C-alpha cells in the first residue's frame, strides 16, 4: 500500500486516552496537550489486488516519530498541529525525511451530557524523502482533510466510544476515504485499555486497508504513557504490517 494510516493512527490513538477531552470533545479554552509518538512497523507479506496474502519481494519496514499538539482557542474551537519524521525501505524505495506538516481546526458542533459531535478541517504540506529522492509513501504535495467525529461516554463514566469518518483530498495521489473507531475502558483512575480500528480506501488505485490496534495507557498526573501493538488484518494492495506503538503526552 502506498498509503498508510499511520498519521491518522498517531492522532486518534494518542488522543483517545484523553477520554472526554479528545476527538469529538474539544479542549477547554486555554488548555491543551502535546503528544510524542513512535511507531515501528514490519511486513514480509502483503495483500494482493484480490485480497490474498503473498510474499513481498523484500521485507518492508516503516518507522516514524511524530508530534501532535492541540490547544483550545475557545471551549468549542480547538487548534491542532501535527508533524513527523519518517524512515522506511522495501524492494523499491528507500526514504528518510520529514513527513507532512498539518494544521487544522476542530469545531464542536454539539455536546450533550454524554455525547459530542465535531467537525475538523485541515491542510497538510507534503513530506520530503531524503535518501533516494522519493517522498514518503502516501503523501501528496498538498493535502486537505474534512472529518466528522461522534463520541459517547458510557453511563458509568468508565469508558467511551469514538467513531470518525474522513475524506482526504490529495495533490498528486488518489484521494482517500477513511473510517476509524476507538473504544476505551478505564480499569481505574490510572489505567485504561484501548481497542481501535483504522480503515481506508484510496480512489482509483485499488488500495484499501483495515488495521487494528490494542494498547494500554498509564496516567501519571499531567503525563500519560501508552504502549500497544498494531497490525493489518485485511486489505488490497497493502503490506500486512505489524509492530509496536509507543506514545507519551502531557496535558497543560
Amino acid at each position: 500500500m502506498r498509503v498508510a494510516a499511520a498519521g491518522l493512527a498517531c492522532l486518534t490513538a494518542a488522543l483517545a486516552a484523553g477520554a472526554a477531552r479528545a476527538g469529538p470533545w474539544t479542549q477547554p479554552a486555554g488548555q491543551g496537550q502535546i503528544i510524542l509518538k513512535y511507531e515501528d512497523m514490519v511486513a514480509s507479506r502483503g495483500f494482493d489486488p484480490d485480497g490474498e496474502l503473498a510474499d513481498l519481494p523484500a521485507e518492508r519496514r516503516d518507522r516514524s516519530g511524530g508530534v501532535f499538539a492541540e490547544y483550545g482557542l475557545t471551549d468549542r474551537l480547538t487548534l491542532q498541529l501535527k508533524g513527523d519524521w519518517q524512515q522506511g525501505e522495501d524492494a523499491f524505495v528507500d526514504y528518510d525525511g520529514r513527513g507532512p506538516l498539518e494544521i487544522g481546526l476542530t469545531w464542536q458542533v454539539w455536546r450533550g451530557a454524554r455525547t459530542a459531535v465535531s467537525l475538523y478541517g485541515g491542510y497538510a504540506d507534503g513530506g520530503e524523502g531524503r535518501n533516494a529522492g522519493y517522498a514518503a509513501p502516501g503523501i501528496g504535495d498538498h493535502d486537505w482533510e474534512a472529518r466528522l467525529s461522534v463520541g459517547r461516554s458510557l453511563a458509568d463514566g468508565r469508558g467511551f466510544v469514538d467513531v470518525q469518518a474522513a475524506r482526504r483530498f490529495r495533490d498528486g495521489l488518489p484521494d482517500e476515504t477513511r473510517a476509524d473507531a476507538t473504544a476505551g475502558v478505564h480499569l481505574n483512575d490510572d489505567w485504561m485499555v484501548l481497542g481501535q480500528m483504522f480503515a481506508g480506501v484510496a480512489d482509483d488505485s485499488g488500495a484499501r486497508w483495515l488495521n487494528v490496534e490494542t494498547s494500554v495507557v498509564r496516567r501519571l498526573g499531567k503525563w500519560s504513557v501508552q504502549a500497544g501493538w498494531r497490525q493489518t488484518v485485511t486489505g488490497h494492495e497493502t503490506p500486512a504490517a505489524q509492530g509496536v506503538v509507543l506514545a507519551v503526552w502531557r496535558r497543560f
Side-chain angles (χ1 to χ4, degrees):
M1 175 181 67
R2 305 296 292 179
V3 180
L8 180 60
C10 178
L11 169 63
T12 308
L15 290 181
R21 291 193 178 180
W25 293 276
T26 50
Q27 291 286 335
Q31 297 184 29
Q33 59 184 348
I34 185 167
I35 301 145
L36 301 176
K37 189 165 188 178
Y38 172 76
E39 302 176 2
D40 191 340
M41 309 299 291
V42 179
S44 58
R45 307 178 73 191
F47 295 96
D48 64 19
D50 296 321
E52 300 295 330
L53 278 173
D55 291 337
L56 296 176
E59 182 181 79
R60 173 167 174 161
R61 186 146 203 163
D62 294 281
R63 304 180 186 90
S64 68
V67 58
F68 175 87
E70 64 173 4
Y71 180 78
L73 301 177
T74 72
D75 286 344
R76 297 181 61 185
L77 191 65
T78 292
L79 173 67
Q80 298 182 354
L81 301 170
K82 181 173 63 173
D84 63 12
W85 190 271
Q86 303 183 358
Q87 181 184 66
E89 58 184 336
D90 59 19
F92 309 103
V93 175
D94 184 359
Y95 65 91
D96 182 358
R98 176 181 64 81
L101 296 175
E102 183 168 338
I103 184 171
L105 289 171
T106 295
W107 172 50
Q108 190 167 83
V109 179
W110 180 83
R111 179 169 183 173
R114 293 167 49 197
T115 304
V117 179
S118 295
L119 294 174
Y120 169 83
Y123 166 77
D125 174 68
E128 301 173 351
R130 305 284 185 187
N131 293 348
Y134 292 98
I139 300 170
D141 292 332
H142 304 281
D143 292 359
W144 296 87
E145 181 173 302
R147 177 174 295 272
L148 170 66
S149 301
V150 180
R152 184 168 178 82
S153 299
L154 301 183
D156 58 5
R158 305 303 297 179
F160 68 96
V161 176
D162 172 6
V163 179
Q164 304 185 17
R167 182 68 175 166
R168 189 94 176 181
F169 303 95
R170 305 190 304 157
D171 181 21
L173 290 170
D175 296 339
E176 297 175 2
T177 300
R178 301 178 179 183
D180 312 289
T182 299
V185 176
H186 294 271
L187 302 180
N188 53 42
D189 291 341
D190 297 325
W191 290 92
M192 173 187 284
V193 176
L194 294 174
Q196 299 174 271
M197 176 199 76
F198 313 107
V201 57
D203 296 356
D204 304 326
S205 70
R208 62 186 66 181
W209 61 92
L210 174 60
N211 299 334
V212 295
E213 181 177 316
T214 303
S215 60
V216 177
V217 179
R218 174 72 160 94
R219 181 163 183 159
L220 302 165
K222 292 184 176 182
W223 294 83
S224 293
V225 293
Q226 175 190 13
W229 182 266
R230 184 188 314 137
Q231 65 182 62
T232 306
V233 295
T234 187
H236 293 256
E237 298 190 43
T238 185
Q242 57 183 350
V244 298
V245 178
L246 303 172
V248 57
W249 66 93
R250 187 182 190 280
R251 291 163 290 278
F252 59 88

